[in-house]
Structure formats: structure tokens, C-alpha cells
Amino acid sequence: MMPSAAKRLFTVPEGVDAQDYPEYFGILVAALSGLVVNFILFVAFAYINMFFLMSLSVSGALFWSMAIYFVRKKRFVAAVNIGVFEMMFHVGIMVWIVGTVYGAQLILWPAVVYAAFSINKNKLQTKLMGYLCLIELAALYALVPEQTNVRPFENYASLIFLISTVCSAIPLMIVLLSIKSVQIRQRKQLQYRANYDNLTKLFNRGFFDTLLEYDNKTLADGGGPFCVCLADIDHFKSINDEHGHKIGDQVLVEIATILNRNLRKSDAVCRWGGEEFAIILRRCELSSALPVIEKLKNLIASTTFSSERLTVTLSYGLIQANEAETSDGLIKRADVLLYKAKRRGRDCIVLEDDS
Ligand SMILES: Nc1nc2c(ncn2[C@@H]2O[C@H](COP(=O)(O)OP(=O)(O)OP(=O)(O)O)[C@@H](O)[C@H]2O)c(=O)[nH]1
């Protein structure tokens, strides 16, 4: 079982959005790794009585603890800056004392990448910190004389260099993979927002247009027939006016759920506009589409919506797609029928041959 302090540490603080989780955990894991590394260094230096380097590890641990504190306080930029500063400071002094042969300077590579971590950090600050790390790296190579005789490490230079390489590569990988997961999550979110309606989670109009064009092409290429239905909530304005927008939103979401659940997987439903929905019924003619829409109409009419237990009806315009018809033409035909349904007193389905 995870001890309660560790559990608390990995419990995301209130106010951190799900989209910021990779950033939060990336910074937290990097800071915890920094803390652990400094602890190990402290023990190692204590073992060989190197008191100054021990105190350096203590200061390093303090900086990483501060970084953890800031990330918990949702101050991601401050946490990153403290981490980068710790790495620069620590590496600079270490290399000044023991030289470059032991590879402590390699930790500046993950520092460059870590500098770019927080999304909220401005570009100039990120660039500046990255370049400072690189300038420090170059300066250490240029100014610090090579030393291979630092006691008691004189016979272990290549082994310590290998350990430094691994210890630099691991945080580099952690930071790069965290940045990658932030990127993937953001791309998925963008794709979702481009295709779906935020409130009802149905397809949005833009994506529906694309589907409709595809279905038109399929029909022209000899694919099966399909139907399109436009449906609009009746007197929705009065629901908003009498019960408020929040209840109006609830009604929209609940209607969307009914439409989605009661259509086949191969059909498609979208939020066409404010209180209007569009449906594609695939591989069916008007005679089989009508009972489906009638079923939806009856289901909605017999359901009570929202916490206010409202009854709601919709008006419907239903058409079958003709060959060589544009998406715009299809929607216009369905819209004319929907308008007719409204004029007929609402809560009804209108087809083209209805007089
Ligand atoms: N709550 C909520 N209301 C919305 C949203 N989008 C549009 N509306 C409302 O939907 C209402 C549409 O009103 P109208 O176009 O007059 O239509 P109606 O009252 O449904 O009347 P008919 O369509 O003629 O039956 C307006 O009051 C809009 O503010 C939304 O996302 N949430």
C-alpha cells in the first residue's frame, strides 16, 4: 500500500484540469527524481567524507523540494525554473571541483529540455534558459582544466562517466516522453473539438457536412440509399425563458443522448445548430426511415427532461437522398419540410409527398 504522504503527493490538487495532468506529473516526477538523486549523492559523498559536496547535495534537495511545493501549488513555471536553476548551479560547482572527466556536466542536456517543459512558460524565457544551460556547458568545457586525479575517484573516471551518462539520459527520456504525452493529449483534444459539439458530445455541423458529402459520393457510386432528417425542439425559447439556460442545456444533452442511443451505430447524428439536430440514416429508404423517426418522436414525447421533469417535443423534416444531389441541396429540402412541420403545429414528421 502506498504511504499516505506519497498518496497525497500523487493526488492531483484541486483546480488542475485533466488536460494539465501530463504537465503536472511530468514536473512532479522530474522534481522527485532530482530529490532522489541528491539523496543518493549525499550518502555517497558522506561515505567518502567529501563534506562540501555533501552540502551541495543538501542544497540540491532543498531546491527540488521547493519545486515539488510549487508544482503542488499549481505554479508550474516556478517549479520548472527552480529545477533548471538547481541543475545549472549544482553542475557548475561540481564540475568546477572535479572537472569534466566524470561527466557531471551531461545533466545540462536534460536541463535544456526541462526548461521547455511548462506550456504556460513564455517562449523568450524558455529560450533564454535553454541557451544559458548550453553556454554554461560550453564554458565548463572551455574553462575547467581536465582533472582525472580527484581523490578518491582517480581510478574510476570511466565508470563514473558511464553512471553520469545514464543519470542524464534517464531524466532526458522522462522529460521528452512527458512532453510527447502533453502533445498527444492536446492533438486529441483539438481533433475532438474540430469534430464534436462541446455540450452534447454529438458530431458538430462541420463534421456532419463531411459525412454527408461522403454519403452522397457513395450513393453516386452505386452505394445504398440513405435518408436525412432535420429535427428542431419546439418552443425551446420558452423553456430557456421559464427555467433558465442551464435547464435548457440539460434538455439539449438529454435529447442528444436519446437520439444517439436509439439509432444504429451506422447512422450519424449531429447538433446542427442551437436547438436543431441532423440525422443520417444509412442503407435505408424513406419507408424504413419513417418508423425509426416515429419511434424517436414517441420516445422523446413520453420522456420527462431535466430536474424540472419537462415534457418536450420536436418537429421533423425527413427526406431520402437523390443521386447527384449536393449536401446543401439535401439539407435545404429537409429544412423546407421542417419549416412545414412547424407551421402545421409542431410535434410532427413531414415528408415530401405529404400535401
Ligand atoms: N440553453 C440553450 N439554449 C440555446 C442554445 N442554443 C440556442 N438556444 C436557444 O434556443 C432558442 C431557439 O428559439 P427559437 O429559434 O425562437 O425557436 P423555438 O423557441 O424553439 O420555437 P420553434 O422552433 O418555432 O418551435 C433561443 O432562445 C436560443 O437562445 C444552447 O446551447 N443552450
Side-chain angles (χ1 to χ4, degrees):
M1 273 236 296
M2 216 195 285
S4 65
K7 217 172 180 178
R8 228 179 311 137
L9 201 59
F10 280 95
T11 309
V12 184
E14 248 177 63
V16 176
D17 292 339
Q19 65 188 22
D20 294 330
Y21 285 0
E23 190 177 349
Y24 171 80
F25 284 114
I27 298 172
L28 184 67
V29 168
L32 284 170
S33 313
L35 200 61
V36 171
V37 166
N38 275 285
F39 179 73
I40 293 170
L41 287 176
F42 179 83
V43 174
F45 292 138
Y47 188 66
I48 52 177
N49 294 327
M50 294 191 82
F51 297 110
F52 181 68
L53 291 182
M54 273 168 70
S55 65
L56 201 58
S57 303
V58 171
S59 72
L62 284 176
F63 275 117
W64 285 114
S65 304
M66 270 166 64
I68 292 169
Y69 171 80
F70 278 115
V71 77
R72 295 282 306 162
K73 292 278 165 207
K74 293 168 276 172
R75 294 182 56 189
F76 296 162
V77 177
V80 167
N81 287 347
I82 289 169
V84 176
F85 177 76
E86 194 285 324
M87 289 191 260
M88 290 177 72
F89 172 75
H90 204 145
V91 165
I93 295 184
M94 284 268 279
V95 174
W96 195 259
I97 296 170
V98 302
T100 52
V101 167
Y102 300 100
Q105 69 282 1
L106 296 178
I107 208 79
L108 288 172
W109 288 114
V112 171
V113 180
Y114 192 48
F117 199 80
S118 179
I119 295 165
N120 297 315
K121 196 163 163 182
N122 75 45
K123 236 161 101 185
L124 184 68
Q125 210 187 17
T126 304
K127 272 189 192 166
L128 203 68
M129 291 195 91
Y131 284 130
L132 276 177
C133 292
L134 293 179
I135 289 168
E136 179 178 339
L137 188 64
L140 290 175
Y141 277 119
L143 303 176
V144 178
E146 283 227 337
Q147 309 174 49
T148 49
N149 56 352
V150 178
R151 274 196 275 157
F153 309 126
E154 57 271 43
N155 296 322
Y156 302 106
S158 49
L159 176 65
I160 297 175
F161 190 88
L162 180 67
I163 294 170
S164 300
T165 308
V166 172
C167 288
S168 309
I170 290 171
L172 192 62
M173 280 303 291
I174 291 175
V175 175
L176 283 174
L177 291 176
S178 305
I179 289 175
K180 186 84 200 154
S181 82
V182 171
Q183 259 184 349
I184 290 172
R185 189 178 274 257
Q186 281 181 331
R187 201 180 55 190
K188 275 189 186 158
Q189 262 168 0
L190 280 178
Q191 268 171 351
Y192 187 86
R193 279 190 196 148
N195 296 335
Y196 290 85
D197 171 55
N198 210 20
L199 177 70
T200 59
K201 315 292 179 217
L202 295 178
F203 293 134
N204 63 20
R205 190 171 178 153
F207 191 62
F208 192 83
D209 274 338
T210 314
L211 292 178
L212 209 51
E213 256 163 48
Y214 173 82
D215 284 318
N216 268 333
K217 246 192 213 150
T218 315
L219 184 66
D221 293 345
F226 72 95
C227 295
V228 173
C229 177
L230 277 187
D232 185 285
I233 306 176
D234 298 327
H235 303 300
F236 192 58
K237 188 175 178 310
S238 60
I239 294 181
N240 274 331
D241 291 347
E242 283 166 35
H243 305 275
H245 248 250
K246 232 177 163 178
I247 296 292
D249 283 355
Q250 264 182 38
V251 171
L252 284 169
V253 172
E254 288 171 27
I255 288 178
T257 309
I258 292 181
L259 294 177
N260 225 355
R261 284 208 186 132
N262 292 283
L263 287 163
R264 295 170 302 176
K265 284 229 165 358
S266 55
D267 297 334
V269 54
C270 97
R271 185 173 178 203
W272 186 253
E275 78 307 5
E276 199 170 352
F277 301 92
I279 302 166
I280 302 176
L281 298 136
R282 296 199 173 100
R283 292 194 309 277
C284 71
E285 303 198 339
L286 202 59
S287 53
S288 4
L290 184 57
V292 176
I293 301 299
E294 271 168 349
K295 191 182 125 196
L296 286 175
K297 175 178 163 296
N298 295 336
L299 198 59
I300 290 171
S302 61
T303 305
T304 49
F305 290 92
S306 85
S307 47
E308 307 278 303
R309 307 196 62 74
L310 305 170
T311 48
V312 177
T313 61
L314 274 77
S315 301
Y316 307 79
L318 178 63
I319 53 156
Q320 180 173 338
N322 296 326
E323 265 183 52
E325 190 175 16
T326 63
S327 307
D328 274 355
L330 262 168
I331 291 292
K332 257 184 210 146
R333 274 204 292 138
D335 205 26
V336 168
L337 299 182
L338 174 60
Y339 185 63
K340 262 192 191 171
K342 291 279 178 187
R343 276 190 313 180
R344 276 190 196 170
R346 299 172 177 83
D347 189 21
C348 60
I349 306 167
V350 174
L351 312 177
E352 255 166 347
D353 49 8
D354 286 358
S355 47

